[in-house]
Structures are given as structure tokens and as C-alpha cells.
Amino acid sequence: MRYGQMLGRTPLGMLRGLGQRLWAYRGVCSVSIVVAALILLSAQVHEILVVEAEEWQKGPSTTDVSRAFRLYMPMILLSLLPNYLWFLARELYRWRKRMITQPGVPVLVICALPLLAILAQLARLAMADETDFARTISNLIVVIATVSFCLAVIIWRVDLRFNRRVGWLVVAAALLLMFLMIVEPHIWGLALGSLSIIALFAAMLATVAVVASWLEDEAGIPVTVGMIVLAVGFSWFDLNDNHYLRLVPASVPEDPPQFHAERDLTDIERRFLAWLDCRPGYAERRATGRKYRVVLVAAQGGGLYAAYQSASFLAGVQDEYPDFSSQVFAMSGVSGGSVGVSIFAALLHDLPIREVNAADCAAAEPIPRAVTQYRDAVDQVLQQDYLSSVGAALLFPDLLARFWPAPIDAADRATALERAFEHHYQAAVPNGEGLTRDVLSHWDWRRDTPMLLLNTTDVSTGSRMIVSSPLPSFPHDRMATYRQMTGCFGTDACEAPRLSTAMLLSARFPVVTPAGSVALPPCGVGTASKLLCNPGGDDERPKARFVDGGYYENSGLDTIADLVVVLKDVADRAGVEFTVISFETSQNLYPGIPPRAYGLGELGSPVRALNSSRSARVHPARKRVEDLGVFLFPVLLETRFEPYTLGWLLSQKTFSRINQDLYDPVVCTYGPGKRVDPRVLTREENCRSRRNLIDFDIFEPVAKQGPALPTFGPNL
């Protein structure tokens, strides 16, 4: 017997043969393994599956075509995916000129891994939830498995010629869907859903990988290496940066009256005093010698859950106490928190609580609003699928743009996410323009819309930039403003980002959203230093890049502390005391024992350290605020026992959990010997914060006529 034949029967020979087979079909196998790992390990994919199961629990609709399409298409594509991958492997075997082993059972099993991962995750959901939900998921598993098995039987048993025709029809249909996804990622992303996008991307990537491996083996062309070199080279020389901010013509806001233009006051102090004179009830309190309380808001980062936490709570307070917004001077946001406070501010702009005279602060009668108008609007805007739009743009047009030596602005995935927010906001507020207004004109000292301080981080310097503020400068050397950086001064019009662009620039946490680029003006009058302008010559810096504000500090409290430092003296003279509402998580107040961080020490430690340091900076920021003598009321989400998914799509189960933390009408038993269940601490802390807001006369003009303790919406 020949040695090669003997070797093929030994375990070593079998492993060697398996390795050769996997290498021959490496395109299909690598895509299957990566997608399966993503499905099993990604918290966002787990949340997607919960969303799909919730939709199926409502029952497939036969009258609503769009909803039926959205329900059935992910299941069809997921069922087709393993068969499509297997079809590519078989076609590769037929097209190869060199002798290779047939794909066989090992490759077939690997092709089925994404489907098996989906079924495993659904089974995990079925075992973890209540009976009705589990029954729905079980039915879903049966549907997917049955359809996929029937398709596999067709591919295996039907005549070869018919099989190839069907296979190529499937390829053509997949290519058509991919083309549509490239042309209109926002529309088709919303229509198909996140699961469909994952399946389509896996199919596209597998097709490209199979063709690349065929060219590498048959023609000796290093396609994969060449594509990587091209993408890295274009990025290295900065040839295809398509992530510049969307800018619109903006008018520089009108300055406050000159009677506050004393030389010893900074710009922010003059604007604060002008805003203060327009507050209803301030003059009466000032005359009686009582302190007037001004509210400042700090909203943490955390994706969509942080956005909903801040926007929903503020909207609930606004619904119950209409004068609340008139006492909020500024809101500092980071990442998802920036999205939340921006949407709340946009609603106040489009649904004002009172008419204001354009020339001065004279106010007409208050505008009556529905009891839950603001909170209902927040639910309509944020309880949507934003992952499909940005995911479709990321995986299709923007990914292809990395291999082109020029910027393709239409492929920017950040733009797709901004348009998705604008679309859903417009649906909730049909005549509203809050998210499409330029950031410089969004705040006015006469209105009841709070000033937004949306924090971003400069990639080059690591410092903060306040992208949304109308301030020409901030009297603090640790941050700059957009007007200061771009030179929007005087009465001349300039260009500025929309509010949707500004809030999402603060929430650009790679890789889902890219760093945003801003063209810097030449250094000259109106720029503070060479760090904020383009000096030209050998020191040319034509643009700056900005990422998530959480890289610097993730709570927004540091910016609030800087603001209080600047305003404290003038506030004391004006008879004002500050109160800060801080949106945080329970881990900030009750950190407990830190989690283990041992595995993958070489690779994982730097990433873990970066993430942990972002959270750790919250504690010194809070201490800065407390040391300034400011009353700080935390509004918490419980994250010690079950973390929230960091992403742009959440299930109704997650939204209900957030609402329970925010609105659960527990009886405040906060005090020594009263704590029993540690899971109730978060709700008790929120309950105490709500009670203290009443006790500190934050809602004094309306609270006298309202209940002793606000419920902030329906009981859950």
C-alpha cells in the first residue's frame, strides 16, 4: 500500500485532508464562521432577534403588505443563506480546473452554521421568557428550519440543470437586492430589516470571496491582498474621506440686549442674564428675596437606551409640569445622551409652551398641550429601527467606497443615520423642523428651548468641542465651540451643521459610525489658536476629525461643572441657585466588585482599559459638580444585573424595562434599614430624585396645583 493512502487513513491524514478542503472553499467557510460567531456573540444581534420575535408574536399581517414583507423577508433570506453558500461551494468545484475534493459534508455543515446560530439564539430566548413569547419563538424556529430543509432537498434532489438554473436565479435576485441596498440603503434597510441585511451582506461577501479564491488558485492573482492594500493605501493618503459634516446656511444668532454688555462679563454670562430676565416668575422671586432655581441637565452616553432614558424622562416631566422647560438653561449631552436631549429640545422648539414676542420677552397666554404629548412624541421618534439604515449603509455603499480613490459623499453611513432620525421625527411631528434647523439658530435667549452643549472629542488633540452651542467661545481652555473653530462671527451668514448632524457627531463611536470631518478655516481673526484653524504652509491642517464625546468623559457632568464655574459669580449676584439632573446608570453610584478582565490579556486589556476609563471619569466629574455646591439629582438605569445593549435598535421589552426604572411608582423608602432588595435601589433613587425636585421648588409655579409626587406618565 502506498504511503499516501496509508496517511489518508490516519487521524493526521484526515486532518490534513480536511484542512486542504477548507482551504479550497475558504471563501464560503470563512464567511459562514464569522457570521455565526457574530450571531452568537453580539448583544446587538441578540436584541434584533428579540425584536423579530416580538413582531411575530403580534402575528403576520395579511392586509398590511409592507409589514408582511418585513416579517417574512428575513426568514426567507435566513433560510436561503445556507443553501446559497452551499450552492457557491458546488459551483466553485465545477468551475475549478485544478483537481480539488468535493465540498462534502464538512463544508455543508459549515455553510449551515449561521442558520444553526440563529436557531440556537431563538431557542435561548424561548427558554428564558414567558410561555406565550416562548411559543411564538418555537413556531418561528419550526418555520425557519422547515423552509431551509425544503430548499436543501430541492437543491440536492432536483435535476442538475434545473438546479443550476434555480441557483443562478437566486444569485441574480441576491445581486439585485444588493444593488438596491447600495443605491438606497436607508429605504431598503428600513424595508428589509437588520436580519435581512446581515443575510444579504453574508451572501455578497461570500460571492466576492469565492470569486477571489478562484482567481487566486487558478490564475495566481493575489486578489485578497490587493484589495486590502488598495483600501489601506487610499485611507493612508486620505483620498476617499466621505465623512464630512453636512452643512447648511446658518444665520449668526442675535446678541442679547446691550444693557448686559458690561466689560467684565463674558459672552456666556451676558446670554445667561438675558435669558434669566425672560423667565416667568423670576422677577417675582427676586422681589421676595427667594432664590430662583435654574436646572442644568447632564445626559450620559450609551446609544439608543441612553437617548430614550433622557428624552423620555424630560418629556414626562414636561408633560406634567409645563413650566419645566422655562427653568432649564442648558443641557450637556454625550453620545446617546446628546441624541436624547436634542430630540427633547427639538420638540420644545416645534411644540412651544408659550408664544414669545420676537422683539422682547413679552409672552402671550400659554399654549395648551395634550397631557402626554411630549412623551408620546419621544416614543414615536425613538422606538424605531435605526440600525437597519446605518447597517445597510455601512455594509454596502460605504464599504465599497473604501476601495475607490475618491470620496463618494452619497455613501456616507453617518448621513444615512441622520436621515433616518429626520424621517422618524418628521413622522412624529409633521410640521416640525427641529432636527433640520441649523445649530446656531436653535437657541434663543427669549425662548424656552434650553441651550444644547453637545460634546465631541477632537481626534488630534483629545480635547472637547461643543458642536451645537451658539456661543462664539467658551471661557474655558479645555473646550472650544463650533463657532469659535469655524469663525462664524459678526452678522455675515456662514455654514453650520443641522441639529441631527450635531447630535450624531457627538454619538460617533466607531465602527458603526465614522469619525466626522470638519474643514478648518485659515488662521486669522476670530480663531483662538492654531489648534482650531489651518495655519497653512508646512503646518497645514485642512481639517479636523471628531468622534464620540464619551472618549473624553461619558456623563456630560464635566461640561456642566465648567459651565457652573463660569456662571457661579454672576448667578450668586442674580439670586440664582443651580440644580443638576444627571442621567446615569446604577453602576456609577453602586459600582460593586469589578468584573474579571483576564482572558485575552495581550489584545483585550487595552480595549477594556479604554472602556473602563471612560466610565471611571464620571466619578471625578460628579465630585466637581458637588464641590461647587450644586444640588445633583441622579436619574438611573439598572445595569448591575443585566446591561443594556449598546446600539441603535432596541426591543419593546428593553423599552419597557427602561420605563419601569424611570416611572415605576414605588413608595420612597430610602433610608437606613429600609433597603431590602438591591434591585429596587435604582427605582428608590429615582423616586427620591423626583421627590427632591418637588421639595426644592423646581416645579413651584405649577406644583402647587399638581400632586404631591409626580407620576411622570402611566403606572407600569
Short mmCIF file of all heavy atoms in Angstrom, two decimals, residues 40-77:
data_model
loop_
_atom_site.label_atom_id
_atom_site.label_comp_id
_atom_site.label_asym_id
_atom_site.label_seq_id
_atom_site.Cartn_x
_atom_site.Cartn_y
_atom_site.Cartn_z
N LEU A 40 -23.89 34.66 17.51
CA LEU A 40 -23.84 34.07 18.85
C LEU A 40 -23.30 35.04 19.90
O LEU A 40 -23.71 34.99 21.07
CB LEU A 40 -22.99 32.80 18.83
CG LEU A 40 -23.58 31.59 18.11
CD1 LEU A 40 -22.56 30.46 18.05
CD2 LEU A 40 -24.86 31.12 18.80
N LEU A 41 -22.37 35.92 19.51
CA LEU A 41 -21.64 36.72 20.49
C LEU A 41 -22.11 38.17 20.57
O LEU A 41 -21.83 38.84 21.56
CB LEU A 41 -20.14 36.68 20.18
CG LEU A 41 -19.48 35.30 20.18
CD1 LEU A 41 -18.01 35.41 19.81
CD2 LEU A 41 -19.64 34.62 21.53
N SER A 42 -22.77 38.68 19.55
CA SER A 42 -23.12 40.09 19.52
C SER A 42 -24.40 40.35 20.31
O SER A 42 -25.44 39.73 20.05
CB SER A 42 -23.29 40.56 18.07
OG SER A 42 -23.80 41.88 18.04
N ALA A 43 -24.33 41.28 21.24
CA ALA A 43 -25.52 41.66 22.00
C ALA A 43 -26.54 42.36 21.12
O ALA A 43 -27.75 42.22 21.32
CB ALA A 43 -25.12 42.57 23.17
N GLN A 44 -26.07 43.12 20.11
CA GLN A 44 -27.00 43.80 19.23
C GLN A 44 -27.78 42.81 18.37
O GLN A 44 -28.99 42.99 18.14
CB GLN A 44 -26.25 44.79 18.33
CG GLN A 44 -27.13 45.58 17.39
CD GLN A 44 -28.11 46.49 18.11
OE1 GLN A 44 -27.79 47.61 18.48
NE2 GLN A 44 -29.34 46.02 18.29
N VAL A 45 -27.14 41.74 17.89
CA VAL A 45 -27.86 40.73 17.12
C VAL A 45 -28.88 40.03 18.01
O VAL A 45 -30.00 39.71 17.56
CB VAL A 45 -26.87 39.73 16.50
CG1 VAL A 45 -27.62 38.59 15.81
CG2 VAL A 45 -25.96 40.42 15.50
N HIS A 46 -28.53 39.79 19.26
CA HIS A 46 -29.49 39.20 20.20
C HIS A 46 -30.72 40.10 20.34
O HIS A 46 -31.86 39.62 20.35
CB HIS A 46 -28.82 39.00 21.56
CG HIS A 46 -29.74 38.47 22.62
ND1 HIS A 46 -30.06 37.14 22.75
CD2 HIS A 46 -30.41 39.12 23.61
CE1 HIS A 46 -30.89 36.99 23.76
NE2 HIS A 46 -31.11 38.16 24.30
N GLU A 47 -30.50 41.40 20.41
CA GLU A 47 -31.61 42.35 20.51
C GLU A 47 -32.44 42.33 19.23
O GLU A 47 -33.68 42.45 19.27
CB GLU A 47 -31.07 43.76 20.78
CG GLU A 47 -32.11 44.74 21.27
CD GLU A 47 -32.41 44.59 22.75
OE1 GLU A 47 -31.63 43.94 23.47
OE2 GLU A 47 -33.43 45.13 23.20
N ILE A 48 -31.79 42.18 18.09
CA ILE A 48 -32.50 42.10 16.81
C ILE A 48 -33.45 40.91 16.81
O ILE A 48 -34.61 41.01 16.36
CB ILE A 48 -31.50 42.00 15.64
CG1 ILE A 48 -30.71 43.30 15.50
CG2 ILE A 48 -32.22 41.70 14.33
CD1 ILE A 48 -29.58 43.21 14.49
N LEU A 49 -32.98 39.78 17.30
CA LEU A 49 -33.81 38.58 17.33
C LEU A 49 -35.00 38.76 18.27
O LEU A 49 -36.10 38.26 17.99
CB LEU A 49 -32.98 37.37 17.75
CG LEU A 49 -31.91 36.93 16.74
CD1 LEU A 49 -31.07 35.80 17.32
CD2 LEU A 49 -32.53 36.50 15.44
N VAL A 50 -34.81 39.46 19.36
CA VAL A 50 -35.94 39.75 20.26
C VAL A 50 -36.96 40.62 19.54
O VAL A 50 -38.18 40.39 19.65
CB VAL A 50 -35.44 40.43 21.54
CG1 VAL A 50 -36.61 40.79 22.44
CG2 VAL A 50 -34.48 39.53 22.30
N VAL A 51 -36.48 41.62 18.79
CA VAL A 51 -37.39 42.48 18.04
C VAL A 51 -38.18 41.67 17.02
O VAL A 51 -39.41 41.83 16.88
CB VAL A 51 -36.60 43.61 17.34
CG1 VAL A 51 -37.50 44.39 16.39
CG2 VAL A 51 -35.99 44.54 18.37
N GLU A 52 -37.50 40.78 16.28
CA GLU A 52 -38.19 39.95 15.29
C GLU A 52 -39.23 39.04 15.96
O GLU A 52 -40.34 38.87 15.45
CB GLU A 52 -37.17 39.11 14.51
CG GLU A 52 -36.23 39.91 13.64
CD GLU A 52 -36.95 40.54 12.47
OE1 GLU A 52 -38.01 40.02 12.07
OE2 GLU A 52 -36.45 41.56 11.95
N ALA A 53 -38.86 38.46 17.08
CA ALA A 53 -39.81 37.58 17.78
C ALA A 53 -41.02 38.37 18.28
O ALA A 53 -42.15 37.86 18.26
CB ALA A 53 -39.10 36.89 18.94
N GLU A 54 -40.80 39.62 18.74
CA GLU A 54 -41.93 40.44 19.18
C GLU A 54 -42.87 40.75 18.02
O GLU A 54 -44.10 40.76 18.19
CB GLU A 54 -41.41 41.74 19.80
CG GLU A 54 -40.75 41.55 21.16
CD GLU A 54 -40.14 42.83 21.68
OE1 GLU A 54 -39.95 43.78 20.87
OE2 GLU A 54 -39.83 42.89 22.87
N GLU A 55 -42.31 40.99 16.84
CA GLU A 55 -43.15 41.25 15.68
C GLU A 55 -43.94 40.01 15.30
O GLU A 55 -45.12 40.10 14.93
CB GLU A 55 -42.29 41.73 14.51
CG GLU A 55 -41.70 43.11 14.69
CD GLU A 55 -42.77 44.17 14.82
OE1 GLU A 55 -43.76 44.12 14.06
OE2 GLU A 55 -42.65 45.03 15.71
N TRP A 56 -43.32 38.85 15.37
CA TRP A 56 -44.03 37.62 15.05
C TRP A 56 -45.08 37.29 16.09
O TRP A 56 -46.09 36.65 15.79
CB TRP A 56 -43.03 36.46 14.91
CG TRP A 56 -42.47 36.36 13.54
CD1 TRP A 56 -41.44 37.08 13.00
CD2 TRP A 56 -42.93 35.51 12.48
NE1 TRP A 56 -41.21 36.73 11.71
CE2 TRP A 56 -42.11 35.76 11.35
CE3 TRP A 56 -43.93 34.56 12.38
CZ2 TRP A 56 -42.28 35.11 10.14
CZ3 TRP A 56 -44.10 33.90 11.17
CH2 TRP A 56 -43.29 34.17 10.07
N GLN A 57 -44.86 37.73 17.32
CA GLN A 57 -45.85 37.48 18.36
C GLN A 57 -47.15 38.23 18.07
O GLN A 57 -48.24 37.77 18.43
CB GLN A 57 -45.30 37.91 19.72
CG GLN A 57 -46.16 37.45 20.89
CD GLN A 57 -45.55 37.85 22.22
OE1 GLN A 57 -44.75 38.77 22.30
NE2 GLN A 57 -45.92 37.15 23.28
N LYS A 58 -47.05 39.37 17.39
CA LYS A 58 -48.25 40.11 17.02
C LYS A 58 -49.02 39.41 15.91
O LYS A 58 -50.19 39.70 15.70
CB LYS A 58 -47.87 41.52 16.56
CG LYS A 58 -47.17 42.35 17.61
CD LYS A 58 -46.72 43.67 17.03
CE LYS A 58 -45.92 44.48 18.03
NZ LYS A 58 -45.42 45.75 17.44
N GLY A 59 -48.33 38.50 15.20
CA GLY A 59 -48.99 37.78 14.12
C GLY A 59 -48.70 38.41 12.78
O GLY A 59 -48.79 39.63 12.63
N PRO A 60 -48.33 37.61 11.78
CA PRO A 60 -48.10 38.15 10.43
C PRO A 60 -49.37 38.77 9.86
O PRO A 60 -50.45 38.21 9.99
CB PRO A 60 -47.66 36.92 9.62
CG PRO A 60 -47.19 35.93 10.65
CD PRO A 60 -48.03 36.18 11.87
N SER A 61 -49.24 39.93 9.27
CA SER A 61 -50.39 40.65 8.74
C SER A 61 -50.61 40.30 7.28
O SER A 61 -49.67 40.29 6.49
CB SER A 61 -50.16 42.16 8.88
OG SER A 61 -51.20 42.88 8.27
N THR A 62 -51.85 39.98 6.93
CA THR A 62 -52.19 39.68 5.54
C THR A 62 -52.73 40.90 4.81
O THR A 62 -52.81 40.92 3.59
CB THR A 62 -53.24 38.56 5.48
OG1 THR A 62 -54.38 38.96 6.25
CG2 THR A 62 -52.67 37.27 6.03
N THR A 63 -53.12 41.93 5.56
CA THR A 63 -53.65 43.14 4.93
C THR A 63 -52.58 44.20 4.74
O THR A 63 -52.58 44.90 3.74
CB THR A 63 -54.79 43.72 5.78
OG1 THR A 63 -54.30 43.96 7.12
CG2 THR A 63 -55.95 42.73 5.87
N ASP A 64 -51.66 44.32 5.67
CA ASP A 64 -50.56 45.28 5.56
C ASP A 64 -49.41 44.62 4.80
O ASP A 64 -48.65 43.83 5.36
CB ASP A 64 -50.12 45.73 6.95
CG ASP A 64 -49.11 46.88 6.89
OD1 ASP A 64 -48.62 47.17 5.79
OD2 ASP A 64 -48.82 47.46 7.94
N VAL A 65 -49.26 44.96 3.53
CA VAL A 65 -48.25 44.31 2.69
C VAL A 65 -46.84 44.62 3.17
O VAL A 65 -45.98 43.74 3.22
CB VAL A 65 -48.44 44.74 1.22
CG1 VAL A 65 -47.37 44.11 0.33
CG2 VAL A 65 -49.82 44.37 0.73
N SER A 66 -46.60 45.87 3.54
CA SER A 66 -45.25 46.25 3.95
C SER A 66 -44.84 45.52 5.23
O SER A 66 -43.69 45.08 5.35
CB SER A 66 -45.18 47.77 4.18
OG SER A 66 -46.08 48.17 5.21
N ARG A 67 -45.78 45.38 6.17
CA ARG A 67 -45.44 44.67 7.42
C ARG A 67 -45.22 43.19 7.15
O ARG A 67 -44.31 42.57 7.72
CB ARG A 67 -46.54 44.87 8.46
CG ARG A 67 -46.19 44.25 9.80
CD ARG A 67 -47.18 44.62 10.88
NE ARG A 67 -46.78 44.02 12.13
CZ ARG A 67 -47.13 42.80 12.52
NH1 ARG A 67 -47.87 42.06 11.73
NH2 ARG A 67 -46.72 42.32 13.67
N ALA A 68 -46.05 42.59 6.29
CA ALA A 68 -45.86 41.19 5.95
C ALA A 68 -44.52 40.97 5.26
O ALA A 68 -43.81 39.99 5.54
CB ALA A 68 -47.01 40.71 5.06
N PHE A 69 -44.16 41.90 4.40
CA PHE A 69 -42.87 41.81 3.71
C PHE A 69 -41.74 41.89 4.73
O PHE A 69 -40.76 41.12 4.65
CB PHE A 69 -42.76 42.95 2.70
CG PHE A 69 -41.46 42.99 1.94
CD1 PHE A 69 -41.25 42.16 0.86
CD2 PHE A 69 -40.45 43.87 2.31
CE1 PHE A 69 -40.06 42.19 0.17
CE2 PHE A 69 -39.26 43.91 1.63
CZ PHE A 69 -39.06 43.07 0.55
N ARG A 70 -41.87 42.80 5.69
CA ARG A 70 -40.84 42.97 6.71
C ARG A 70 -40.73 41.74 7.61
O ARG A 70 -39.65 41.40 8.09
CB ARG A 70 -41.16 44.22 7.54
CG ARG A 70 -40.18 44.49 8.69
CD ARG A 70 -38.84 44.95 8.20
NE ARG A 70 -37.92 45.16 9.29
CZ ARG A 70 -37.69 46.33 9.87
NH1 ARG A 70 -38.33 47.40 9.44
NH2 ARG A 70 -36.82 46.45 10.85
N LEU A 71 -41.85 41.05 7.84
CA LEU A 71 -41.83 39.86 8.69
C LEU A 71 -41.26 38.65 7.96
O LEU A 71 -40.44 37.92 8.50
CB LEU A 71 -43.25 39.55 9.18
CG LEU A 71 -43.79 40.39 10.34
CD1 LEU A 71 -45.22 39.99 10.63
CD2 LEU A 71 -42.95 40.22 11.58
N TYR A 72 -41.73 38.43 6.73
CA TYR A 72 -41.38 37.19 6.03
C TYR A 72 -39.99 37.25 5.38
O TYR A 72 -39.31 36.23 5.29
CB TYR A 72 -42.42 36.87 4.96
CG TYR A 72 -43.74 36.43 5.52
CD1 TYR A 72 -44.91 37.15 5.27
CD2 TYR A 72 -43.83 35.29 6.31
CE1 TYR A 72 -46.13 36.74 5.79
CE2 TYR A 72 -45.05 34.87 6.83
CZ TYR A 72 -46.19 35.60 6.57
OH TYR A 72 -47.38 35.20 7.09
N MET A 73 -39.58 38.43 4.90
CA MET A 73 -38.33 38.51 4.15
C MET A 73 -37.11 38.08 4.96
O MET A 73 -36.27 37.32 4.45
CB MET A 73 -38.14 39.93 3.61
CG MET A 73 -36.90 40.09 2.73
SD MET A 73 -36.84 38.93 1.34
CE MET A 73 -38.21 39.53 0.36
N PRO A 74 -36.95 38.50 6.22
CA PRO A 74 -35.79 38.00 6.98
C PRO A 74 -35.78 36.49 7.11
O PRO A 74 -34.72 35.85 7.00
CB PRO A 74 -35.93 38.68 8.35
CG PRO A 74 -36.74 39.89 8.09
CD PRO A 74 -37.69 39.50 7.01
N MET A 75 -36.95 35.88 7.34
CA MET A 75 -37.00 34.43 7.49
C MET A 75 -36.64 33.73 6.18
O MET A 75 -35.95 32.71 6.17
CB MET A 75 -38.39 34.00 7.94
CG MET A 75 -38.87 34.65 9.23
SD MET A 75 -37.74 34.41 10.62
CE MET A 75 -37.02 36.04 10.80
N ILE A 76 -37.11 34.29 5.06
CA ILE A 76 -36.80 33.70 3.75
C ILE A 76 -35.31 33.79 3.46
O ILE A 76 -34.66 32.82 3.04
CB ILE A 76 -37.62 34.39 2.65
CG1 ILE A 76 -39.11 34.10 2.84
CG2 ILE A 76 -37.17 33.94 1.26
CD1 ILE A 76 -40.00 34.87 1.90
N LEU A 77 -34.73 34.97 3.70
CA LEU A 77 -33.30 35.15 3.41
C LEU A 77 -32.43 34.30 4.33
O LEU A 77 -31.41 33.75 3.90
CB LEU A 77 -32.93 36.62 3.53
CG LEU A 77 -33.52 37.54 2.45
CD1 LEU A 77 -33.16 38.99 2.71
CD2 LEU A 77 -33.04 37.13 1.07
#
